[in-house]
C-alpha cells in the first residue's frame, strides 16, 4: 500500500489565504454599500434585468408627474371657467329680477327707462365677464379656438352678436381635460337647437291689449331661423251680434312669401281672444317647428263702444334671437321704449322667456364644467394609484430588504473577522518559526 504526499508551499498557502481575504473584504464592502444606499442594485452591473425594470418604472413615474403638472394647469383653467359661468349666471339672475320689476302695472314710462338703464349696466358687466381670460391670456370661454375677445357686439349688422371662434368642445383624454369651455354653446342660440325667437308688436295705441306668449320650439329640427310677421286684416263685426271676425296671414320676411289668409270667425267681443299659432291648431298655416299664442281683447270705452283687438294693420314680428345678449338688448330697447302697459307686458314676457332659455344654456355648460373638474379629480386619483404601483415595482427591482441586508452584513463581518484571525495563525505556521 502506497501513500501519496502533496507538498503545499508556505507561499502558496499565503496567496490562497490573501485571495480569500480579498474576496471576503470585497463582499463586505459591497454589502456595506448596499446598506448605506438602501438598494440591492447600486449600479446596472449588479443586476442588469432589475436595473432595467427600475429604470422603466422611474421613466413612467416621471411621465405621470409631467402629465399631472399639465392636468393641474388644465384644472385651474376649467375652475376659472366654471367660476366665470357662475358670475354670468348671477348677473343674468339680477337682470331677470329687474325685468320682472319693470312689468309692474303702476309704473310710468320714466320708471321703466330707469329699469332699462340698470339692465344695460348689468349687460355691460356680462360682456366683460364672458370675455374673461385666464392667467395666460387665453379666453376661458373660447371653445375650440377663438379671438382674444370671443364675443363681439352689439353690432349694427345682423346678427348683432358674434362668436369669433370655432364652436365646439375639446374632448377629454385619459390623462387630460380641455382648458376652455364652449362659450358658443353657453351664450349663443342656434335655431335648430334652441328655437329662441323674440316677438315684437307694431305701434299699438293705449286702451287696447295685444300680447303674445313666449315662442316655444316644438320640433327644433324644423325651425328655419327665418324672420316672420303676422299681419291682421279684415277685422270687423261678425255675422252674429256681439261677435267680431278677423283675418291674419303669416309672412316669411326672409323668403318674401306669405301664407294663405286664415279667418277667425265670430269670436265674442266681451271675452279675451286667444289664437294659437301651431301645427296642431292649423296644420296648413303655422311657423315650422314653433308654437305660440296671441292674446287679444276688446276694451269698452266710456261711451259704450268697443275698441277691438286685433285691429286692421296690427302686426307681430318674430325674429330669431342669436344670443342671450341679443335677448337682453331687445328687452332693454322695448322696456325702455314702452309707451303703455301693453307694450311693457309684451316686452317683459318675451324677455323672461328668452332669458330663461339662456339661463338653461348657462346652467348646462356650468354643469359640464363641474363634471370636467370631477373628471380631473378622477384622473388624479388614477395617476396616484399608478404612481404607487410603479414605485412598488421599482422598489421590488432595486431596493434592499434591510433586515436581510443587515443579517448578510453581520454574517460577512463575522466571516471576515474569522478569516483575519485564521490568517494570523497561518502566518506563524513556518518551519523556521518551528525550528526557532
Amino acid at each position: 500500500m502506497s501513500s501519496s504526499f502533496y507538498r503545499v508551499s508556505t507561499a502558496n498557502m499565503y496567496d490562497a489565504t490573501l485571495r480569500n481575504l480579498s474576496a471576503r473584504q470585497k463582499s463586505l464592502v459591497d454589502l456595506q454599500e448596499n446598506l448605506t444606499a438602501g438598494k440591492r442594485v447600486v449600479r446596472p452591473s449588479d443586476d442588469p434585468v432589475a436595473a432595467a425594470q427600475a429604470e422603466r418604472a422611474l421613466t413612467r413615474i416621471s411621465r405621470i408627474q409631467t402629465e399631472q403638472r399639465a392636468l393641474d394647469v388644465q384644472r385651474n383653467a376649467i375652475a376659472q371657467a366654471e367660476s366665470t359661468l357662475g358670475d354670468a349666471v348671477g348677473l343674468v339672475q339680477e337682470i331677470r329680477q329687474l325685468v320682472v320689476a319693470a312689468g309692474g302695472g303702476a309704473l310710468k314710462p320714466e320708471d321703466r327707462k330707469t329699469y332699462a338703464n340698470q339692465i344695460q349696466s348689468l349687460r355691460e358687466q356680462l360682456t366683460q365677464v364672458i370675455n374673461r381670460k385666464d392667467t395666460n391670456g387665453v379666453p376661458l370661454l373660447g371653445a375650440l379656438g377663438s379671438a382674444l375677445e370671443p364675443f363681439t357686439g352689439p353690432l349694427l349688422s345682423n346678427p348683432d352678436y358674434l362668436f369669433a371662434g370655432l364652436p365646439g368642445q375639446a374632448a377629454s383624454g385619459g390623462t387630460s381635460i380641455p382648458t376652455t369651455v364652449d362659450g358658443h354653446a353657453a351664450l349663443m342660440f342656434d335655431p335648430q337647437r334652441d328655437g329662441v325667437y323674440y316677438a315684437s308688436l307694431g305701434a299699438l295705441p293705449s286702451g287696447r291689449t295685444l300680447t303674445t306668449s313666449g315662442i316655444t320650439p316644438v320640433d327644433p329640427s324644423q325651425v328655419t331661423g327665418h324672420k316672420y310677421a303676422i299681419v291682421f286684416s279684415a277685422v270687423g263685426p261678425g255675422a252674429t251680434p256681439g261677435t267680431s271676425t278677423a283675418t291674419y296671414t303669416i309672412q316669411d320676411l326672409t323668403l318674401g312669401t306669405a301664407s294663405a289668409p286664415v279667418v277667425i270667425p265670430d269670436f265674442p267681443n266681451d271675452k279675451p281672444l286667444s289664437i294659437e299659432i301651431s301645427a296642431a291648431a292649423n296644420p296648413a298655416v303655422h311657423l315650422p317647428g314653433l308654437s305660440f299664442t296671441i292674446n287679444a281683447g276688446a276694451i269698452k270705452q266710456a261711451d259704450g263702444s268697443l275698441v277691438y283687438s286685433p285691429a286692421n294693420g296690427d302686426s307681430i314680428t318674430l325674429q330669431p334671437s342669436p344670443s342671450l345678449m341679443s335677448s337682453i338688448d331687445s328687452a332693454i330697447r322695448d322696456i325702455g321704449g314702452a309707451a303703455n302697459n301693453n307694450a311693457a307686458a309684451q316686452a317683459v314676457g318675451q324677455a323672461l322667456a328668452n332669458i330663461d332659455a339662456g339661463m338653461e344654456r348657462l346652467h348646462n355648460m356650468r354643469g359640464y364644467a363641474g363634471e370636467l373638474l370631477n373628471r380631473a379629480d378622477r384622473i388624479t386619483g388614477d395617476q396616484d394609484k399608478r404612481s404607487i404601483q410603479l414605485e412598488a415595482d421599482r422598489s421590488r427591482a432595486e431596493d434592499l430588504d434591510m433586515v436581510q441586508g443587515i443579517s448578510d452584513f453581520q454574517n460577512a463581518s463575522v466571516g471576515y473577522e474569522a478569516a483575519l484571525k485564521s490568517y494570523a495563525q497561518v502566518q506563524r505556521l513556518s518551519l523556521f518559526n518551528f525550528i526557532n
Side-chain angles (χ1 to χ4, degrees):
M1 182 177 181
S2 61
S3 297
S4 299
F5 295 95
Y6 297 93
R7 181 180 180 275
V8 179
S9 65
T10 301
N12 184 57
M13 184 170 57
Y14 288 166
D15 290 341
T17 304
L18 288 174
R19 281 195 300 271
N20 290 334
L21 282 173
S22 298
R24 285 184 177 273
Q25 187 180 30
K26 181 180 183 304
S27 176
L28 185 63
V29 170
D30 290 342
L31 290 172
Q32 186 179 20
E33 185 179 13
N34 291 343
L35 277 175
T36 55
K39 296 182 179 297
R40 182 180 63 85
V41 180
V42 178
R43 56 187 64 84
S45 60
D46 295 340
D47 189 338
V49 174
Q53 292 174 345
E55 186 64 27
R56 184 162 53 247
L58 287 172
T59 300
R60 291 175 178 173
I61 290 173
S62 177
R63 179 176 179 179
I64 288 175
Q65 292 172 346
T66 301
E67 292 171 345
Q68 189 58 43
R69 285 193 295 270
L71 181 63
D72 290 339
V73 174
Q74 296 159 1
R75 180 194 282 109
N76 291 338
I78 293 299
Q80 292 182 61
E82 191 275 338
S83 176
T84 296
L85 290 172
D87 292 342
V89 167
L91 288 171
V92 175
Q93 286 175 339
E94 291 185 45
I95 290 173
R96 192 183 191 282
Q97 292 172 0
L98 290 174
V99 169
V100 172
L107 295 178
K108 299 178 181 179
E110 294 78 9
D111 299 329
R112 286 189 283 267
K113 288 181 180 178
T114 300
Y115 280 114
N117 290 335
Q118 290 179 297
I119 297 172
Q120 174 71 25
S121 176
L122 291 174
R123 203 274 298 152
E124 291 172 356
Q125 294 179 48
L126 178 63
T127 302
Q128 295 175 356
V129 167
I130 61 180
N131 283 315
R132 189 177 292 171
K133 303 175 181 63
D134 65 10
T135 54
N136 296 318
V138 178
L140 295 169
L141 306 181
L144 294 177
S146 70
L148 294 180
E149 297 289 334
F151 299 96
T152 57
L155 307 173
L156 297 178
S157 59
N158 187 22
D160 55 350
Y161 281 86
L162 294 175
F163 178 77
L166 182 63
Q169 182 64 56
S172 299
T175 59
S176 64
I177 61 173
T179 56
T180 60
V181 172
D182 186 0
H184 184 277
L187 293 154
M188 305 297 288
F189 293 142
D190 181 82
Q192 280 72 37
R193 182 191 64 199
D194 307 298
V196 177
Y197 270 74
Y198 190 91
S200 56
L201 304 176
L204 200 70
S206 299
R208 289 177 49 204
T209 59
L210 182 66
T211 59
T212 69
S213 66
I215 315 300
T216 303
V218 292
D219 187 356
S221 64
Q222 295 185 9
V223 177
T224 61
H226 293 178
K227 184 178 180 180
Y228 300 98
I230 299 176
V231 181
F232 288 91
S233 61
V235 180
T240 304
T243 64
S244 298
T245 184
T247 300
Y248 70 86
T249 57
I250 299 178
Q251 301 176 3
D252 189 326
L253 302 180
T254 302
L255 298 179
T257 59
S259 70
V262 179
V263 178
I264 310 170
D266 299 339
F267 54 88
N269 291 334
D270 57 349
K271 295 181 180 179
L273 172 63
S274 181
I275 307 170
E276 182 181 352
I277 309 294
S278 67
N282 191 335
V285 180
H286 64 280
L287 302 176
L290 300 174
S291 173
F292 74 106
T293 302
I294 301 173
N295 300 306
I299 304 300
K300 191 172 185 178
Q301 303 300 299
D303 60 358
S305 63
L306 296 175
V307 177
Y308 294 104
S309 282
N312 288 322
D314 282 351
S315 64
I316 302 171
T317 303
L318 289 84
Q319 184 168 353
S321 183
S323 68
L324 173 60
M325 292 77 71
S326 302
S327 298
I328 295 173
D329 283 349
S330 297
I332 294 169
R333 179 195 66 218
D334 290 349
I335 290 175
N340 50 53
N341 288 337
N342 184 83
Q346 174 66 15
V348 168
Q350 294 299 302
L352 290 178
N354 293 352
I355 287 174
D356 288 344
M359 286 280 285
E360 182 179 358
R361 298 301 310 167
L362 284 173
H363 283 304
N364 288 342
M365 290 310 299
R366 190 182 183 189
Y368 180 75
E371 176 54 33
L372 287 178
L373 293 176
N374 291 336
R375 182 180 180 87
D377 292 339
R378 290 193 293 269
I379 292 174
T380 298
D382 292 341
Q383 295 285 54
D384 289 342
K385 293 177 182 177
R386 290 180 60 199
S387 295
I388 292 173
Q389 179 184 2
L390 289 169
E391 183 61 31
D393 293 343
R394 183 207 61 77
S395 178
R396 283 192 298 269
E398 68 175 5
D399 283 352
L400 178 67
D401 183 347
M402 297 303 291
V403 175
Q404 183 65 40
I406 292 173
S407 176
D408 292 342
F409 179 76
Q410 290 176 342
N411 291 337
S413 179
V414 171
Y416 183 59
E417 184 179 355
L420 287 175
K421 290 181 178 180
S422 65
Y423 178 64
Q425 294 295 329
V426 168
Q427 279 186 319
R428 290 196 295 268
L429 295 179
S430 167
L431 179 60
F432 298 104
N433 291 336
F434 182 74
I435 292 176
N436 292 333

